[in-house]
Amino acid sequence: MMNKTVLRVSTIPKPPFVIYDEQANHFDGMLIELLHELSLRLGFGYNLTIQEDGKYGHMDDHGNWDGLIGELTRGNADVGLAAFSVMTERMGAVDFTEAVYKPTGISVLMLKTKSVTSFFRFLTILEAEVWWCILGAYLLTSVLVWIFDTWSPYSYQNNVHSRKNDRQKRVFTLKESLWFSLTSLTPQGGGEAPINLSGRIVAATWWLFGFIIAASYTANLAAFFTISKYEKTIESFDDLINQYRYTYTVIENSTTHTYFRRMNDIEYDFYEKWKDMTLNNSLTAHERAQLAVWEYPLSDKFIKIYSAVQHNNMVLNLSQALAKFAEENSRFSLITETIDVQYQVLMDCRFREIGPEFSKKPLAIALPKNSIWTKRFNDAILELVKESWLFWATNRWWDENPNRVWCNDYTINTGLSIENIGGLFVVIGAGIVIAIATLIYEFFYFNFWREKMKRFYNDNFKKLDAIVYFKTKVQGITQKVQNH
């Protein structure tokens, strides 16, 4: 009886189609739900086992299959429940049901590009050595202005009496010289300049230096952020294969590997046929001229891709590829089935998908060749399609997946971000804190010192007055005695 039939179902875990919890020994996923629904409608039972080698199936040179397809061809399983891509060579070995998922192809899994940000990025416009040289020039100029103003006979402080009516009465102490040199670099200006010629020469030289430094910094700042904004990023499959910063590879013996190997062989075969045609001695001069071209007439795109894949070493499985992504400063990318790429993007905000998707194939359930269950499965699946059951199952395990993570993706902003110029606000904050500390010093320490000095002078002046008064009295008495 059909309701007593128990099918041996062999499967390969691949979220979200087949999810296996090893600790609870529990299966879940979109295809597991589909299998359960089919069992209810067709009246069969099933035993689920995991394919030991985890392979879908690869045919050797003798036509023998390994993996899950091998289990079906050898009669060790009745149903192959996995995210099977329907391919011509597989159709020769097993039967496939109607498609249970939309046609899916190949795309690229990459890490999202992280823009380099720095809270003090505005300081990186100039190299550290340049900043130290600017600081040295600032200190040297300030000291020279102070020395020249102190020693020049034409400075204001050395001609105070002769310049009583001058409006410019600035004395360039060391503190005042430091302030003059600092403010000279700003649009506000440095204020009154030294009146002595030697000091003015130093000031003019510093102004010229500051103007060139400010102009150079401004120009480089604008260029720096412009270049960063328009930096070339990988946005397509062609961008990936035409660059050398990122390495790319495929999973060994996967459908993607098979696809690139065959495309490589086809391009090479076409090249050999074209070469034989052009070197054919039986051609007339006119026929040979018709084959003459300036460039290679066929694309060698897949020859280059397959060569790069072999050079970069293929990974054994998706887990090994994910480990390569986790390496520090990873520039790794994986060309693989789109369902794997989209699921990783769905579950991890670090990843992004690079398209366009190509070599699309439907996904279906596999059964042994000429199985009596093939037609029954097909009829039931078509009913599920008409009832939109498959549509809602797909939506539940993809768009509404409870384990899905929602990423805070953002659009490219043409303005400067706080991550790049936030250091300016730190500078302002530091300046305010220093100013507040200085005010506290001025208010408390200076006032305390002034009151202390006032008391000191008052006490000493009173003693001095008493001594003078006493001496005056003594001198008066002495004078009187002498007069008598």
Side-chain angles (χ1 to χ4, degrees):
M1 296 292 293
M2 184 179 295
N3 58 359
K4 294 183 180 179
T5 303
V6 177
L7 299 181
R8 298 167 297 170
V9 181
S10 184
T11 187
I12 297 175
K14 180 191 282 288
F17 296 100
V18 178
I19 303 172
Y20 178 62
D21 186 345
E22 187 174 356
Q23 293 182 348
N25 191 26
H26 175 70
F27 288 93
D28 203 357
M30 176 183 165
L31 290 182
I32 300 299
E33 282 191 0
L34 175 59
L35 178 65
H36 181 68
E37 185 67 21
L38 291 175
S39 71
L40 294 177
R41 297 192 178 215
L42 299 178
F44 65 85
Y46 57 87
N47 289 324
L48 269 170
T49 58
I50 296 178
Q51 170 63 27
E52 294 181 358
D53 57 12
K55 296 180 180 179
Y56 290 89
H58 178 73
M59 184 174 62
D60 60 22
D61 296 336
H62 302 288
N64 298 319
W65 288 85
D66 60 4
L68 186 48
I69 294 182
E71 292 292 301
L72 293 171
T73 57
R74 289 189 294 270
N76 297 330
D78 299 313
V79 179
L81 189 74
F84 263 120
S85 298
V86 180
M87 300 172 64
T88 303
E89 67 271 20
R90 288 178 175 177
M91 293 176 66
V94 297
D95 285 342
F96 284 102
T97 65
E98 295 290 335
V100 297
Y101 189 73
K102 63 183 179 180
T104 183
I106 299 171
S107 55
V108 183
L109 181 66
M110 291 189 67
L111 291 172
K112 288 181 179 177
T113 304
K114 295 182 180 179
S115 57
V116 180
T117 59
S118 173
F119 217 51
F120 294 93
R121 196 173 187 182
F122 64 95
L123 293 177
T124 63
I125 306 303
L126 302 178
E127 294 183 357
E129 293 81 359
V130 178
W131 285 115
W132 285 113
C133 289
I134 293 175
L135 178 61
Y138 161 71
L139 295 175
L140 177 62
T141 302
S142 302
V143 171
L144 290 177
V145 170
W146 169 51
I147 293 175
F148 289 179
D149 194 78
T150 301
W151 290 92
S152 175
Y154 296 99
S155 65
Y156 171 77
Q157 62 177 310
N158 292 328
N159 293 275
V160 175
H161 299 291
S162 62
R163 294 182 177 273
K164 288 181 179 180
N165 298 324
D166 284 1
R167 298 180 61 183
Q168 184 173 340
K169 298 180 179 181
R170 188 174 186 179
V171 176
F172 284 88
T173 61
L174 179 59
K175 181 182 72 173
E176 198 70 14
S177 298
L178 291 169
W179 182 251
F180 169 77
S181 298
L182 180 63
T183 54
S184 293
L185 295 175
T186 66
Q188 185 67 27
E192 297 176 356
I195 62 174
N196 54 304
L197 182 60
S198 57
R200 289 187 173 185
I201 293 175
V202 174
T205 304
W206 176 248
W207 289 339
L208 178 61
F209 171 83
F211 172 77
I212 295 174
I213 289 295
S216 300
Y217 178 84
T218 303
N220 279 276
L221 181 66
F224 187 81
F225 284 111
T226 301
I227 292 173
S228 298
K229 185 171 64 177
Y230 294 105
E231 185 178 358
K232 178 67 175 177
T233 58
I234 298 174
E235 300 296 339
S236 68
F237 180 71
D238 289 335
D239 289 342
L240 176 66
I241 64 177
N242 290 325
Q243 55 77 49
Y244 299 96
R245 291 184 301 154
Y246 291 83
T247 60
Y248 56 87
T249 190
V250 300
I251 298 175
E252 190 175 8
N253 292 330
S254 63
T255 55
T256 307
H257 180 202
T258 302
Y259 172 79
F260 284 118
R261 186 185 70 246
R262 289 180 178 175
M263 293 300 293
N264 170 80
D265 295 342
I266 290 171
E267 282 187 349
Y268 187 78
D269 289 342
F270 274 127
Y271 167 75
E272 290 295 327
K273 293 183 184 301
W274 173 78
K275 185 174 67 173
D276 291 341
M277 290 172 60
T278 57
L279 298 178
N280 190 347
N281 293 327
S282 64
L283 295 176
T284 65
H286 176 72
E287 291 174 334
R288 191 181 301 279
Q290 299 303 312
L291 295 174
V293 292
W294 293 107
E295 295 180 353
Y296 175 51
L298 301 172
S299 171
D300 61 346
K301 173 181 177 180
F302 290 97
I303 292 177
K304 292 180 179 178
I305 293 174
Y306 194 67
S307 176
V309 164
Q310 291 179 311
H311 178 267
N312 295 330
N313 297 326
M314 289 175 278
V315 293
L316 299 178
N317 47 51
L318 182 60
S319 299
Q320 187 177 358
L322 295 178
K324 283 184 171 292
F325 281 115
E327 294 176 358
E328 187 177 0
N329 300 321
S330 175
R331 289 187 176 272
F332 175 76
S333 52
L334 179 68
I335 307 174
T336 188
E337 295 180 359
T338 301
I339 52 175
D340 288 330
V341 174
Q342 293 177 346
Y343 187 76
Q344 292 301 321
V345 171
L346 201 70
M347 295 295 157
D348 196 332
C349 289
R350 296 178 303 156
F351 294 114
R352 63 182 179 129
E353 179 186 3
I354 301 298
E357 186 179 354
F358 57 94
S359 185
K360 292 185 178 182
K361 299 174 288 294
L363 301 184
I365 299 174
L367 298 100
K369 200 68 175 174
N370 302 319
S371 172
I372 62 173
W373 291 97
T374 302
K375 186 178 184 306
R376 298 173 185 175
F377 271 46
N378 284 337
D379 293 341
I381 290 172
L382 289 175
E383 288 181 6
L384 294 174
V385 171
K386 291 178 182 179
E387 297 170 6
S388 297
W389 188 96
L390 274 176
F391 171 79
W392 292 114
T394 301
N395 188 64
R396 183 166 59 255
W397 284 100
W398 285 94
D399 296 337
E400 298 177 4
N401 193 313
N403 297 322
R404 177 181 181 177
V405 294
W406 297 93
C407 307
N408 296 322
D409 292 333
Y410 57 89
T411 56
I412 298 176
N413 190 354
T414 56
L416 297 178
S417 63
I418 190 66
E419 288 84 1
N420 289 324
I421 62 171
L424 289 175
F425 297 95
V426 175
V427 172
I428 294 174
I432 293 174
V433 171
I434 294 173
I436 293 174
T438 305
L439 174 63
I440 294 174
Y441 164 78
E442 291 175 344
F443 184 80
F444 289 100
Y445 182 79
F446 181 76
N447 286 340
F448 171 77
W449 176 82
R450 185 178 62 179
E451 291 297 328
K452 183 178 180 180
M453 293 304 296
K454 184 186 294 185
R455 288 195 300 269
F456 173 78
Y457 283 116
N458 288 339
D459 293 343
N460 283 276
F461 281 137
K462 287 180 181 179
K463 292 178 181 179
L464 182 62
D465 291 342
I467 293 173
V468 172
Y469 176 79
F470 178 75
K471 288 180 65 176
T472 303
K473 286 293 185 180
V474 172
Q475 289 177 354
I477 294 172
T478 304
Q479 187 66 35
K480 288 181 180 180
V481 170
Q482 291 178 351
N483 290 335
H484 288 289

